[in-house]
Amino acid sequence: MRPAARIASAIDILARLEAEDRPADGLIRGVFRANRYIGAKDRRAIGDLVYGVLRHSARLDWWLSRAQVGAGGARGRVLAELTLAQGLGGAEIASLFDGDTYHPPPLESAERALLEQLDGAELDHTEQPDWVRLEVPEWLLPGLREALGDDQEILALGHTAPLDLRVNLLKAERAAVRQALAEEGIESAPTPFSPWGLRVTARHALPALKAFRDGLFEVQDEGSQLVALLSDARPGLSVADLCAGAGGKALALAMTQGGEGRLVALDLDARRLERAGPRLARAGVDFVETRVLVDGDPWLDQEAGSFDRVLVDAPCSGSGAWRRQPDARWRLTAARLEQYTQSQAEILRIAAGLLRPGGRLIYATCSLLPPENRDQATTFLTERPDYRALPLGDLWREQLETPYPGDECPALLLTPLRHGTDGFYLAVFQRKVGP
């Protein structure tokens, strides 16, 4: 595809995103599946422009409102123009918007005037309110500042996320997998905290690699790896992954158990859980039980008090993963956040019933918002005096040689700026033995 045709395709995707309440990543994948002729480089260029718009949409919209352009369904087109203007001059952009076949129509006078106004200028402006400058919904800004304390932390949620891999130690050591990747032309480096992780320095079609097909690694953010590691799912223990989804953390737990003990992967969504099967097979894991939970499932009563570890990677706002899904911040509403917090509280109650005395409940979210994290932990401990919070610093030092990166409060909050991971909250509660 010519560069102008790539821009036209990106503008079409932006128009669909504005018309449909759908996550951008799913919509983009659907467009590419329906248009197999779009090559890998074209897909990358189209995706870069779309995500460039999404990462800067608050500031871009602010400029549009000042210039009073982008009405009548043309918003996505002008946002794309302004995003291109961060690297191209107005004349270059005008040459791409030439109206040729499969190219965007020529620029209108108002669009030219706005591009001239932004020529060489940053998207930031002294008149922008803080929520616009920080690219977060205004109603969420107080909570993010409370949790993170630093606007630079909030700005980091708009950066591009790295690509992390978790080495499957059931099949190979990290150094060997790094070498296998290098032989296939993939450069990587060890992750700074997780002893299982490799950070890839560029994007690649990983499923096409022999190392992937052989089950030597899985794609998994370092923060997720640390959640699994700090769950301390040792060989011989009985472990439940209560919100297993497609099995990412269950795979890591299976690795730490070494095939010894019991591991049950549970989820309400049968389709997501089905995707765990091929991943488990590729990793060489054959001892994991999977179960789709239903309302009032008798299994929960039958298994009450029988587990040593229960991992709750709770459904949440996903605010810690906004680097990967920048549009998600604008689709989150107060009503949806309330639904998440209610669901989290209910899942914690279910998880608490599954543990035997002395067992541990691991509560994690990929959120940075206090109602989903600190407030849930406080409420849980109030409602369940038979549980206590374990200091994460002590658990970290038992499992890892790297210095503990948090403070000494019971919970750990990982952030993109401080730790280079997705945003994660982790708390571990232990069921007391005796009164």
Side-chain angles (χ1 to χ4, degrees), residues 139 332-344 371 376:
W139 68 278
L332 181 64
T333 64
R336 285 181 178 175
L337 181 59
E338 176 63 21
Q339 290 173 356
Y340 284 129
T341 58
Q342 291 177 2
S343 176
Q344 291 153 8
Q376 288 287 9

Side-chain angles (χ1 to χ4, degrees), residues 264-305:
V264 185
L266 306 121
D267 204 273
L268 294 171
D269 190 330
R271 289 177 299 178
R272 294 188 68 201
L273 199 56
E274 285 174 1
R275 297 205 297 270
R279 300 175 74 185
L280 291 166
R282 188 172 61 246
V285 174
D286 58 5
F287 77 104
V288 178
E289 306 169 41
T290 60
R291 182 179 182 89
V292 180
L293 290 175
V294 296
D295 289 340
D297 200 320
W299 184 92
L300 296 172
D301 292 329
Q302 296 163 9
E303 297 289 343

Side-chain angles (χ1 to χ4, degrees), residues 287-366:
F287 77 104
V288 178
E289 306 169 41
T290 60
R291 182 179 182 89
V292 180
L293 290 175
V294 296
D295 289 340
D297 200 320
W299 184 92
L300 296 172
D301 292 329
Q302 296 163 9
E303 297 289 343
S306 63
F307 287 92
D308 301 293
R309 302 284 186 271
V310 176
L311 171 60
V312 173
D313 181 14
C316 68
S317 64
S319 52
W322 281 348
R323 297 184 303 172
R324 304 180 192 280
Q325 297 177 312
D327 58 312
R329 70 191 70 194
W330 307 113
R331 291 186 290 107
L332 181 64
T333 64
R336 285 181 178 175
L337 181 59
E338 176 63 21
Q339 290 173 356
Y340 284 129
T341 58
Q342 291 177 2
S343 176
Q344 291 153 8
E346 177 60 24
I347 293 169
L348 279 170
R349 285 191 285 271
I350 292 171
L354 292 173
L355 280 161
R356 60 170 54 105
R360 295 179 184 177
L361 194 169
I362 299 91
Y363 177 69
T365 73
C366 56

